[in-house]
Amino acid sequence: MTRFYHGSSIKLKAGTILSGRGEDYEKKWGNNIEYKILEDNRPDNFLSHKESVFMTDNIEDIDNAGGATDFLFTVKPLGPVEKHDMAWQSEILLAIQSGANLKEIKGMANKYWEGVATENPVWEYLTRKAKIIKVEEY
């Protein structure tokens, strides 16, 4: 069984149910071009980032995923889990900077949603809700 982790700047109690941050997430990440590209190309059957709880299966990846590192939560997903290689976000940004065409960029976004690995994958897992089962200081 995979063990999942979530980083937080706020200490919460074990048993707390986490859910997506909605508009707060959009305010923080909505201006990032790679986020917009991923969301604009998200198939309907996948969770939007704003309605997701982000998890990793490796404690070291919490910081890479943009998670806070004050508190470490071991979490249990309360529903289906999606697996995506967040390294595609960097690949998308580099492609834009090097003048890639829209078809190439859309193809990278599709690979993110399909769970295709880059050469150096950094996996993030999305779920709608997750229960905190353990709390530690990071």
Side-chain angles (χ1 to χ4, degrees):
M1 182 173 155
T2 303
R3 187 169 281 226
F4 293 108
Y5 305 97
H6 178 86
S8 177
S9 61
I10 302 167
K11 186 174 185 178
L12 298 171
K13 294 180 181 180
T16 301
I17 306 296
L18 303 174
S19 59
R21 296 183 2 226
E23 297 308 315
D24 287 342
Y25 186 89
E26 289 261 318
K27 286 178 188 173
K28 182 174 182 178
W29 297 101
N31 290 325
N32 291 15
I33 189 70
E34 61 273 24
Y35 167 78
K36 287 182 178 184
I37 289 169
L38 288 177
E39 281 301 308
D40 287 348
N41 291 285
R42 178 177 50 83
D44 291 339
N45 57 322
F46 286 94
L47 292 170
S48 71
H49 286 130
K50 71 179 183 179
E51 65 186 0
S52 298
V53 175
F54 288 79
M55 306 172 294
T56 66
D57 62 354
N58 178 337
I59 294 170
E60 303 302 317
D61 287 339
I62 290 173
D63 190 36
N64 294 334
T69 56
D70 301 302
F71 298 97
L72 173 67
F73 303 152
T74 303
V75 297
K76 177 183 176 184
L78 300 177
V81 175
E82 298 175 8
K83 180 181 179 181
H84 307 290
D85 179 2
M86 71 181 104
W88 282 112
Q89 294 176 42
S90 297
E91 295 293 324
I92 288 169
L93 193 55
L94 290 171
I96 291 168
Q97 292 169 345
S98 66
N101 65 46
L102 189 57
K103 184 178 179 182
E104 292 171 309
I105 294 167
K106 184 176 180 172
M108 291 177 190
N110 290 338
K111 287 179 181 180
Y112 169 87
W113 290 112
E114 293 166 4
V116 175
T118 59
E119 285 186 32
N120 296 300
V122 180
W123 297 109
E124 65 182 357
Y125 299 83
L126 280 59
T127 191
R128 194 174 299 279
K129 293 184 185 278
K131 182 177 182 178
I132 299 172
I133 56 175
K134 185 177 178 184
V135 179
E136 304 171 72
E137 287 193 25
Y138 198 91

